[in-house]
Amino acid sequence: MYCRGASFIRPFWDKTYIKKELKKSNNTASENPFYYRSVRGPNIDLLRHKLSTIDWVEAFNKVDSAELGTNLFINNLTCLLNQCCPISKKKKFRKQKANLPLNNWFTPELDRIRSILVVYHEISKCNTDLLPIYRRLRREYKQRIKEAKQQANGNFISESSNKCKAAWRVINSETNRLKRIDEDLPISATDFNEHFANFCNNIQRPNDHNADLSSAMKVLSHQTIDRERCIFGWREVTVDDVREVIDSLSNSHSEDFYGLSNFLLKQLKEELLQPLTYLINWILIDGVYPSCLKVSVTVPVYKKGDKSCPDNYRPISLVPVISKVVESLMQKQLVNYMERNDLFTSSQFGSRSGKSTGKAVEGLVCIF
């Protein structure tokens, strides 16, 4: 058998030729430019300085609604971000991540046992009487490796701030599941968009809508509500409230539609606290959620099965970072109102402190 090259024919068993062709194909597949935004060092310092020179009160006085005020805030922020922290093209090409060990579990004791094992392996080839010793030593070496890996992985997970993510890193490392970078998806962005946008419309609705309505009314009938005491109104948000929410965000570098991230917002916290607080209170007073905060970036994450089928992808939405802050402050006020007036049922577990999916499962198990 022969395999045809570009302009010549060589046997398929020519290892030098095969390695050269594989190296060439791998380099071609990975030579996709990597674009990134640097948000550290002098760039972020320059951005802080320019933000501190903006008179936000004067800027907000030029518009007459929270919708326009939010657009003005986002436009100024993204404009300065692109000036101070422009998107750059990395000189080196992104390549597939190497399958490196996640943590250093190979101890000096294991190195000593391996050296002894190598010696016994060579001696046992000539002296078969030493084979039982060699096999026993090999079993002990494998057991020691297993224990060392378990201890190192356990320490890696327990010391991590995100234990779930750390556990999956350990699983992927042990199962040799390499993360492919710049891998082309077999589905176009338009097809993904149509699938995710129409997904809810394709879900079958229950035939009896009155049954759901009667169930909801039955739950509400058992709640004693003082209508005069239960009048809801938005409380004014303070600078400390906004600072607390921003500090509670993760340090994620994932960028939203406007190029902002949790990490970047934390870096610019002191320069944005005052205008952001003013803007959030303006939104609550107007009672209209700005359209620019409703734009999200949807990332399809492959689950399993046929990669050409959109149903086998899980959509992850990257909502605007500013929207996370606004939603968190609104959620706190709403939950406090519901808790204070005892409007939650005992079966409500979402958005409540001290309640979780684990507690919901415990309640379900106790029923049965």
Side-chain angles (χ1 to χ4, degrees):
M1 292 181 62
Y2 291 86
C3 94
R4 183 174 296 276
S7 58
F8 55 88
I9 298 176
R10 276 206 174 185
F12 79 98
W13 56 81
D14 190 331
K15 294 183 179 179
T16 304
Y17 170 71
I18 292 176
K19 289 181 180 179
K20 190 179 295 183
E21 287 298 307
L22 287 175
K23 184 177 181 181
K24 181 180 178 181
S25 61
N26 289 337
N27 289 338
T28 303
S30 62
E31 288 181 356
N32 292 322
F34 172 42
Y35 297 93
Y36 72 103
R37 187 194 302 275
S38 177
V39 291
R40 289 187 175 91
N43 290 348
I44 199 68
D45 293 335
L46 178 62
L47 181 57
R48 287 197 190 101
H49 172 70
K50 290 194 174 184
L51 285 173
S52 63
T53 59
I54 298 179
D55 188 351
W56 290 105
V57 176
E58 181 182 355
F60 288 146
N61 287 335
K62 296 180 180 179
V63 294
D64 56 358
S65 67
E67 174 82 27
L68 298 177
T70 307
N71 285 327
L72 176 66
F73 178 79
I74 294 292
N75 290 336
N76 287 341
L77 184 57
T78 53
C79 181
L80 291 179
L81 176 64
N82 292 328
Q83 290 178 9
C84 303
C85 306
I87 298 176
S88 304
K89 181 179 178 181
K90 199 170 184 179
K91 294 181 180 179
K92 294 182 179 180
F93 297 120
R94 297 186 75 183
K95 297 183 179 180
Q96 182 175 343
K97 289 185 177 179
N99 189 19
L100 300 176
L102 190 62
N103 43 56
N104 187 16
W105 52 265
F106 194 77
T107 61
E109 178 66 17
L110 288 175
D111 189 28
R112 185 183 66 84
I113 297 175
R114 184 179 64 176
S115 300
I116 298 174
L117 188 62
V118 171
V119 173
Y120 270 93
H121 176 65
E122 296 297 330
I123 297 176
S124 61
K125 293 180 180 179
C126 302
N127 189 357
T128 56
D129 295 336
L130 296 178
L131 273 176
I133 300 177
Y134 164 72
R135 290 169 181 169
R136 177 176 57 80
L137 190 62
R138 185 177 59 183
R139 287 195 299 268
E140 181 182 355
Y141 178 63
K142 290 182 178 179
Q143 181 62 27
R144 291 287 187 89
I145 288 178
K146 182 178 179 181
E147 293 173 356
K149 282 186 176 182
Q150 289 177 349
Q151 183 178 0
N153 291 335
N155 294 336
F156 176 77
I157 295 173
S158 61
E159 295 173 0
S160 176
S161 58
N162 190 338
K163 293 180 173 54
C164 182
K165 182 178 180 180
W168 275 111
R169 286 190 61 189
V170 171
I171 293 172
N172 292 334
S173 176
E174 293 298 323
T175 55
N176 294 325
R177 291 175 59 186
L178 296 179
K179 184 178 180 181
R180 296 286 301 180
I181 300 178
D182 300 329
E183 182 179 1
D184 295 332
L185 294 177
I187 307 175
S188 65
T190 303
D191 293 337
F192 270 126
N193 184 57
E194 292 179 356
H195 173 73
F196 292 143
N198 300 321
F199 180 77
C200 294
N201 297 331
N202 298 331
I203 298 177
Q204 292 184 352
R205 299 179 179 179
N207 296 326
D208 190 0
H209 298 282
N210 295 327
D212 293 339
L213 181 60
S214 62
S215 299
M217 295 303 295
K218 184 178 180 180
V219 172
L220 291 175
S221 64
H222 292 287
Q223 303 297 115
T224 303
I225 302 176
D226 186 354
R227 297 186 181 277
E228 294 183 359
R229 186 171 60 89
C230 291
I231 297 176
F232 176 78
W234 294 111
R235 178 181 60 82
E236 183 180 359
V237 174
T238 64
V239 173
D240 292 334
D241 295 333
V242 179
R243 180 185 286 107
E244 182 182 356
V245 171
I246 294 177
D247 290 337
S248 65
L249 295 175
S250 65
N251 292 321
S252 173
H253 289 260
S254 299
E255 296 184 356
D256 60 11
F257 180 76
Y258 304 104
L260 305 174
S261 64
N262 294 355
F263 176 82
L264 182 61
L265 183 62
K266 286 188 171 184
Q267 296 291 314
L268 307 174
K269 178 178 60 176
E270 297 302 326
E271 287 74 21
L272 297 179
L273 273 176
Q274 292 292 343
L276 197 54
T277 303
Y278 182 87
L279 189 62
I280 293 172
N281 285 317
W282 197 359
I283 292 173
L284 297 179
I285 292 173
D286 278 10
V288 177
Y289 203 78
S291 301
C292 60
L293 298 183
K294 300 178 183 179
V295 182
S296 63
V297 177
T298 302
V299 180
V301 178
Y302 172 70
K303 296 186 293 184
K304 60 180 181 179
D306 185 9
K307 289 190 176 183
S308 61
C309 180
D311 290 327
N312 293 327
Y313 292 82
R314 175 165 55 96
I316 301 296
S317 293
L318 302 177
V319 300
V321 177
I322 305 301
S323 180
K324 294 180 183 179
V325 179
V326 180
E327 291 176 2
S328 296
L329 292 167
M330 294 175 66
Q331 186 256 358
K332 283 187 176 181
Q333 294 195 31
L334 288 171
V335 171
N336 290 336
Y337 168 80
M338 300 289 285
E339 294 281 6
R340 186 174 64 252
N341 294 287
D342 195 23
L343 297 178
F344 281 131
T345 68
S346 58
S347 302
Q348 174 70 32
F349 289 88
S351 302
R352 301 183 68 183
S353 59
K355 302 283 187 177
S356 63
T357 54
K359 294 290 184 181
V361 173
E362 288 179 8
L364 183 63
V365 172
C366 293
I367 293 175
F368 293 98

